[in-house]
Amino acid sequence: QVYDLLAESSSSSRRGLELREGPGGGVYMPGLLTVEAQTYEEAIEYLERGMAARSWGDNGVNAASSRSHALFQVTFERRCRCENTGDDADASTVAMAYTAKLSFVDLAGSEKVQPYGNMLQDTPHINMSLSALGQCISAMLDVRRKHVPYRNSKLTRVLQDSLSNPLATTVMCVCLSPSHTALSETMNTLQFADRAKRVKLFYQPAPASPAAGAAAAAYRRIAELEAQVDSLNAELREERRERMRLEGLLVA
């Protein structure tokens, strides 16, 4: 399930959100609360508010172990007004906006099922979503595979635009235990992070359509003709100046 940690406890969003296909191919969640923060301090307040509503539990080693994955997305927006260089003389300036998205993802650790508490219910779902993320990473590492199974988990479906965007940067930080009793989990975590580190996505611009190619060729031809016109006008002005100079000599 996907829960809105910023919603009120009585809200329907705290009882589960649905993932739906967006018009641009991504996903959106109807009812998800979006808030505006003007300062860094306000953003941290919302983060702490969400962390307080997160699911925690005792796993036998850590009394406050996270029993869920958490996602905190921040969208930065910068607005500016630039001089209008178009043909519209009535509008001297034009508004422009630049946006960027930063996703902070805290993944709950993969653990063995323990026979007490809510661990029996939480642990299988945590492990399944982590397994789905590992499958996506493996598919992205295999150049022969054309399909990446983002739909196998809600976690990977929500993160698809970040994982598949070649212009995005992903940083993974892992937590390790120095105890020899956690050697197996430590090795699995390091191998997981190493696979993620080796993923490289390359930007491939979409091929231009025939119509776009013809339009580009026409624009290049227009630019060449305009350059020829400018050159001929310069020659004509030079000839006129030379003629006026010669006429002045004759009069003198």
Side-chain angles (χ1 to χ4, degrees):
Q1 292 290 335
V2 179
Y3 302 100
D4 188 348
L5 300 181
L6 294 181
E8 298 295 334
S9 58
S10 59
S11 172
S12 60
S13 299
R14 291 291 293 273
R15 295 193 292 269
L17 295 171
E18 295 182 358
L19 270 65
R20 296 183 181 178
E21 292 287 339
V27 297
Y28 72 99
M29 289 164 278
L32 180 65
L33 181 64
T34 302
V35 295
E36 182 177 351
Q38 297 289 345
T39 63
Y40 168 80
E41 289 74 16
E42 290 181 9
I44 293 299
E45 288 180 4
Y46 287 120
L47 175 61
E48 293 176 346
R49 173 177 159 186
M51 293 293 290
R54 192 178 175 186
S55 176
W56 304 90
D58 186 356
N59 63 355
V61 177
N62 184 0
S65 174
S66 57
R67 307 310 312 144
S68 62
H69 306 306
L71 171 62
F72 184 64
Q73 287 188 330
V74 182
T75 301
F76 298 91
E77 185 175 283
R78 177 187 177 189
R79 295 180 178 272
C80 64
R81 301 191 67 84
C82 307
E83 293 185 1
N84 184 15
T85 58
D87 298 330
D88 188 1
D90 297 333
S92 59
T93 60
V94 59
M96 299 183 65
Y98 301 90
T99 59
K101 184 172 68 174
L102 184 61
S103 298
F104 297 93
V105 187
D106 183 13
L107 299 175
S110 176
E111 298 171 352
K112 297 179 181 179
V113 177
Q114 302 293 335
Y116 57 87
N118 294 327
M119 298 282 290
L120 288 172
Q121 183 178 7
D122 297 336
T123 301
H125 294 291
I126 292 174
N127 292 345
M128 287 176 60
S129 58
L130 290 175
S131 176
L133 179 59
Q135 293 171 6
C136 291
I137 292 175
S138 297
M140 288 187 286
L141 283 173
D142 191 349
V143 295
R144 298 169 298 178
R145 294 186 61 174
K146 302 299 182 183
H147 173 69
V148 180
Y150 294 112
R151 296 178 181 272
N152 287 359
S153 167
K154 290 183 178 180
L155 173 67
T156 53
R157 190 71 180 98
V158 171
L159 296 177
Q160 178 177 353
D161 60 341
S162 298
L163 295 173
S164 61
N165 187 353
L167 302 180
T169 299
T170 300
V171 178
M172 177 175 288
C173 302
V174 297
C175 296
L176 305 176
S177 172
S179 174
H180 69 278
T181 59
L183 178 61
S184 176
E185 289 80 0
T186 298
M187 293 301 300
N188 290 336
T189 301
L190 289 174
Q191 291 172 0
F192 185 88
D194 181 68
R195 281 191 298 158
K197 182 181 68 174
R198 289 187 285 113
V199 173
K200 291 182 173 59
L201 300 177
F202 300 96
Y203 175 68
Q204 296 180 349
S209 63
Y219 284 127
R220 287 195 298 269
R221 182 56 179 165
I222 291 174
E224 292 174 358
L225 294 175
E226 288 178 346
Q228 292 181 10
V229 170
D230 292 339
S231 177
L232 292 174
N233 285 334
E235 292 179 3
L236 181 59
R237 288 192 296 269
E238 184 64 27
E239 291 181 358
R240 286 177 178 174
R241 284 195 293 269
E242 182 65 16
R243 186 181 63 180
M244 293 177 63
R245 187 183 69 82
L246 294 176
E247 290 178 349
L249 292 175
L250 292 175
V251 172

